[in-house]
Amino acid sequence: MTVPGRRSSTFMRLLRSGFTDPSAAARLLDSDALASVRTDPVLLDALGATADPDLALLGLVRLAEAQSGDERPVLLDTLVSAKPLRDRLLGVLGASEALADHLARHPRDWHALVTYEAADLHPGLAEFEQGLAQAHDPIALRVAYRRCLLSIAARDVCGTIDVAQTAAELADLATATLRAALRIASAAAPDDAAACRLAVIAMGKCGGNELNYVSDVDVIFVGDAPNGGGGADEAKAVQAATRLASHLMRICSETTIEGTIWPVDANLRPEGRNGPLVRTLASHLAYYQRWAKTWEFQALLKARAVAGDPDLGAQYIDAITPLVWQAAERENFVADVQKMRRRVVDNIPASQVDRELKLGPGGLRDVEFAVQLLQLVHGRSDAGLHSGSTLDALHALAAGGYVGRTDAAQLNDAYRFLRAMEHRIQLYRLRRTHLVPEDEADLRRLGRSLGLRTEPVAELNKAWRRHASVVRRLHEKLFYRPLLDAVAQLSPGETRLSPRAAGQRLEALGYADPASALRHLEALSSGVTRKAAIQRTLLPVMLGWFADSADPDAGLLNFRKVSDALGKTPWYLRLLRDEGAAAENLARVLSAGRLAPDLLMRAPEAVALLGDPEGLQPRTHEALAQEVLAAVGRAGSAEAGVAAARGVRRRELFRTAAADIIGSYGTEDSPAEEDPGALVDRVGNAVSDLTAATIAGALRAAVRDHWGEILPTRFAIIGVGRFGGHELGYGSDADVLFVHEPREGVDEQEAAKAAQTVIAEMRRLLQLPTADPPLLIDADLRPEGRSGPLVRTLSSYAAYYRRWSLTWESQALLRAEPVAGDAELGARFIELIDPLRYPAEGLGEDAVREIRRLKARMESERLPRGADPTLHTKLGRGGLSDVEWTVQLMQMQHAWSEPGLRTTRTREALAAAHAAGLIPAEEAQILDEAWVLATRVRNAVMLVRGRAGDTFPSEARELAAVGRYLGYAEGTVGELLDDYRRITRRARAVVDDLFYGA
């Protein structure tokens, strides 16, 4: 009987030793199974050193209880007298519940831990084959496999072997197991074995000698006739080989009383699961030469013949190796690899992405993909990179100068840590998983198994996040920085990437003109100046951001131009170096198209906007108008004043375009804007406010230059169309109406002449040839169109509208809003036109028919010849015109009784129509989505091409850039066009119903 004092002392000692349930541990120690060693302090200390002392003690008691006869004393005596055996056995029991279960079922298998104890030998393929040699059926093979696995796990958890050696031994054990399984299958079907040659090619981690504890073993099967003959013999041989291969897979994959070994996965074969399980070598080659995709060659990089006919396996490896090292020359090589990586990340459930050790951002797959990409690019000319092992390949890349040694060391450490985490997670229950557990006890055991003992959970999370952060910088670390070594002046004897290798890498990254790109890099980074040093720091990550765009060459060229213009300005490079967002924002803007870089080149100092947290926020109309009018007031002439106003416009257009691009692309720290409608509204408001302020400045300059401060007639400018609706795009003209009213005592002819003069002068000033983009003022929507007077008095407008106005003119006035000039006169103009655009009791049937007839005529006559009506954003099916005319018809019919419809903005009017019950929510959403998408396409075309357009670009790079702006990944332009057609087709169906009454 245990006395109370001793019980308390034991409890405290167990608690200090790391037991989480000292009471249960004390009861287990008191069990008869451990009677001879329960008080041995060596045992308690050894248990406390395991990953999970509670689990280790429970497993030890179960193992001791399972011993028969004289075996228990042998086990316990060896346990306390032989430290290596004690550490290995208890280490396994404290880290793996599954192996503890195996030992309880097979209590003599603990002797496997003694085999390599004396000399601390590392078993290899031959030893594992010997360990499996006596297994003649699937169940015996499973038992023997677990016995061999036990010896690997024991040395792994004790630190006798590192993570790379553990992975290599696991791959050797898998190789031996595949051979044993093929032996068993051949013995079961000797006729099939005699009728064919079968080679088993390991792929993936098994092929790369870096296997996990629990992983699918990826294979490819190659078959042939015994004598290599063709025809009927070959067909029969393939059938026989298929039966053997299928039996091999069942032996390894099927679940028995001893569990399963691991699934054998042959889906990496040509055509995947839809292709034949076994092919001849000639059939494999025919497929790879004609049909294989880039990722299949990436997978073949790790191919290794492991079982079956060795000559046939060697022939297969010899035949496919040249194909692997030519893969980087394929069109869209890097894009295909990157697209595959994105697809993997996109398919991770949102609830798991932060715990995904293998596939998530900063995970193992990021390291593996980057290393493989570098191997495939540079392995064409450097056979030293031809390794299937990630760590060996990383070492070779560093030795060859393709990766900096410090960078390679950091990646090596990160990869080893993440693989060690993966191993210990899987070892616990021998289940295939890559998720970091959430349970506190699991995290504690995992942390302790990695040697983190003070605060295991906190230390584990900290180390994991630190290493994942290193991995997330893969493309800077592994792919871009060595490019600079090809052009920068390095110290004597320092390894550098050759110009040829640098050119290959740039080409693989998607740069169309690697030679020019290298010249830009040399101009930017060569030399010993502080400027060159900072550029060498900036350029690696800048190159990555450029490569993430549709036109990397343009991004790099534009960066050189900006740097040449601002390189001597002290704040420029400091801004990019110290303000992380500024550099990425600049890279996105410079590589997204022509408009934003063109605006920036005319005033490079606008780069400063990209580093200010508030720099990309649109300015208010009041702030813009105040700045423009102040600039005009300070100028000595009208030309100088409007030049200043146009300078403000150029800067603000750049601000708006930059914010739009960054909001659409997103950055590492800020995801893309989720609401496309918000982006459209922001651009429309910003450009419309900027246009209004610029016109107000031009009006002030024109008046002051001719009449001082007072024009002989009161004068107002009314925005119409997209201008009045606050929906201007980057390439939009300013549609306006001009209205004036002679001041008291001024002759009407003199007043009219003054109004005409000020309009002409405004137009001239806003279109003067300068470095700033012109602003075109269009008054074609005035009464009588181009045939009517350019400007009218308010009373003239009243008389015209009273007597001559047509329905379409009333419709055009729906988006009329004062934008500049005499505010009171503008307000009276709006009072005049409200009864026309919001007619009492709505429109009559004749007026509705007239609008429908005019719309139908416009569709048939104004669509450009040869234009695809399904892709024309303005006049095409379900495009801007369809949506706007439908909304405007509802406004003219119902705005007299629904105040919410009295707005110049299309989206606001559509929302008001839904709120008033005039259109169901689903149909309103369909129209809104189509209008937003068509507007974004027009904005994208202007950003990309630098000139306005209503259709998608025909040039591939420009179309890809439009797709990237709209959120489509590289290589998915077809999806963009399909989505546009689908969305606008649905919108047209709603238009047919609501507008045409179909």
Side-chain angles (χ1 to χ4, degrees), residues 296-303 324-325 372 375-376 385 387-388:
E296 293 178 275
F297 294 108
Q298 184 181 356
L300 286 169
L301 191 153
K302 292 181 178 293
V324 171
W325 302 110
Q372 290 165 24
Q375 285 181 274
L376 291 170
L385 303 180
S387 171

Side-chain angles (χ1 to χ4, degrees), residues 164-239:
Q165 181 64 33
T166 301
E169 290 190 14
L170 288 168
D172 283 342
L173 177 56
T175 298
T177 305
L178 288 169
R179 293 179 180 181
L182 182 56
R183 170 172 49 79
I184 294 171
S186 298
D191 292 341
D192 283 340
C196 70
R197 292 195 298 161
L198 175 65
V200 183
I201 311 298
M203 304 285 285
K205 282 187 162 55
C206 183
N209 281 297
E210 50 186 13
L211 196 62
N212 297 330
Y213 276 102
V214 187
S215 175
D216 291 355
V217 171
D218 297 307
V219 299
I220 286 176
F221 295 109
V222 188
D224 202 353
N227 57 4
D233 288 343
E234 182 181 280
K236 290 179 180 178
V238 169
Q239 291 174 355

Side-chain angles (χ1 to χ4, degrees), residues 83 213 391 446 554:
K83 184 180 188 309
Y213 276 102
L391 290 175
L446 178 58

Side-chain angles (χ1 to χ4, degrees), residues 10 54 86 110 122 209 338 528 627 664 696 701 842 885 938 946 972:
T10 302
D54 302 85
R86 179 172 63 247
W110 68 271
H122 294 171
N209 281 297
Q338 291 173 338
V528 295
E627 181 181 2
S664 298
W885 281 60
R938 294 181 92 203
T972 60

Side-chain angles (χ1 to χ4, degrees), residues 341 345 358-371 411 468 471-472 474-475 478:
R341 178 70 188 113
V345 174
K358 176 182 178 181
L359 304 178
L364 292 162
R365 187 59 59 85
D366 273 347
V367 181
E368 293 160 358
F369 261 63
V371 169
L411 259 295
V471 174
R472 278 197 294 270
L474 273 176
H475 285 286
L478 287 184

Side-chain angles (χ1 to χ4, degrees), residues 316-658:
Y316 176 89
I317 298 299
D318 290 343
I320 61 98
T321 296
L323 301 179
V324 171
W325 302 110
Q326 295 166 9
E329 298 170 8
R330 294 165 62 92
E331 187 177 359
N332 298 322
F333 163 69
V334 169
D336 288 345
V337 175
Q338 291 173 338
K339 182 162 59 176
M340 182 179 175
R341 178 70 188 113
R342 283 193 295 267
R343 190 183 302 126
V344 169
V345 174
D346 291 343
N347 287 335
I348 302 173
S351 61
Q352 297 179 2
V353 69
D354 290 335
R355 296 191 295 125
E356 245 295 348
L357 196 63
K358 176 182 178 181
L359 304 178
L364 292 162
R365 187 59 59 85
D366 273 347
V367 181
E368 293 160 358
F369 261 63
V371 169
Q372 290 165 24
L373 200 57
L374 286 172
Q375 285 181 274
L376 291 170
V377 169
H378 299 300
R380 292 176 286 177
S381 55
D382 188 346
L385 303 180
H386 295 190
S387 171
S389 163
T390 300
L391 290 175
D392 288 348
L394 183 57
H395 176 76
L397 286 165
Y402 303 102
V403 177
R405 288 186 174 86
T406 301
D407 299 337
Q410 291 179 345
L411 259 295
N412 176 80
D413 291 346
Y415 188 71
R416 286 174 178 273
F417 182 84
L418 296 175
R419 284 300 303 272
M421 280 186 69
E422 181 184 47
H423 280 179
R424 301 302 164 79
I425 291 169
Q426 293 181 348
L427 182 60
Y428 176 46
R429 286 179 174 155
L430 288 182
R431 292 180 181 173
R432 184 176 181 269
T433 179
H434 310 286
L435 290 178
V436 177
E438 295 178 293
D439 182 75
E440 187 82 7
D442 290 335
L443 289 171
R444 180 177 182 273
R445 180 182 59 255
L446 178 58
R448 285 173 59 90
S449 77
L450 296 172
L452 308 173
R453 298 302 174 92
T454 305
E455 294 287 343
V457 176
E459 292 175 35
L460 173 68
N461 284 322
K462 183 179 179 180
W464 171 32
R465 299 304 178 191
R466 184 180 72 252
H467 287 298
S469 177
V470 170
V471 174
R472 278 197 294 270
R473 298 194 299 271
L474 273 176
H475 285 286
E476 176 192 354
K477 292 289 183 183
L478 287 184
F479 219 77
Y480 304 111
R481 180 164 293 162
L483 286 168
L484 298 182
D485 295 344
V487 296
Q489 296 178 3
L490 303 181
S491 302
E494 189 171 352
T495 304
R496 60 183 278 174
L497 195 66
S498 71
R500 178 186 176 190
Q504 288 177 339
R505 188 176 296 190
L506 284 164
E507 185 178 2
L509 282 168
Y511 286 82
D513 189 353
S516 293
L518 279 174
R519 287 195 296 272
H520 298 325
L521 291 178
E522 185 169 13
L524 288 164
S525 62
S526 291
V528 295
T529 65
R530 183 173 178 80
K531 169 186 171 184
I534 296 176
Q535 287 284 20
R536 287 195 289 270
T537 301
L538 289 170
L539 275 166
V541 70
M542 299 290 285
L543 284 170
W545 287 323
F546 294 147
D548 190 40
S549 73
D551 195 349
D553 298 81
L556 180 55
L557 172 61
N558 290 329
F559 181 63
R560 180 181 174 183
K561 289 179 178 178
V562 173
S563 294
D564 286 347
L566 291 176
K568 295 182 180 179
T569 307
W571 57 263
Y572 167 63
L573 290 176
R574 188 168 61 244
L575 170 75
L576 298 186
R577 182 193 62 194
D578 298 340
E579 300 291 341
E584 183 174 4
N585 290 344
L586 179 61
R588 300 299 184 199
V589 167
L590 293 180
S591 56
R594 296 181 183 175
L595 178 64
D598 286 350
L599 293 169
L600 182 60
M601 297 310 170
R602 290 166 181 152
E605 65 276 3
V607 166
L609 297 174
L610 303 176
D612 180 357
E614 301 299 322
L616 297 178
Q617 295 299 317
R619 300 178 66 201
T620 65
H621 176 264
E622 291 74 17
L624 290 170
Q626 183 178 2
E627 181 181 2
V628 168
L629 293 176
V632 170
R634 290 192 300 268
S637 66
E639 286 82 358
V642 174
R646 290 173 66 179
V648 172
R649 177 171 179 261
R650 178 235 311 123
R651 183 197 68 213
E652 295 304 321
L653 277 176
F654 173 74
R655 186 198 306 269
T656 303

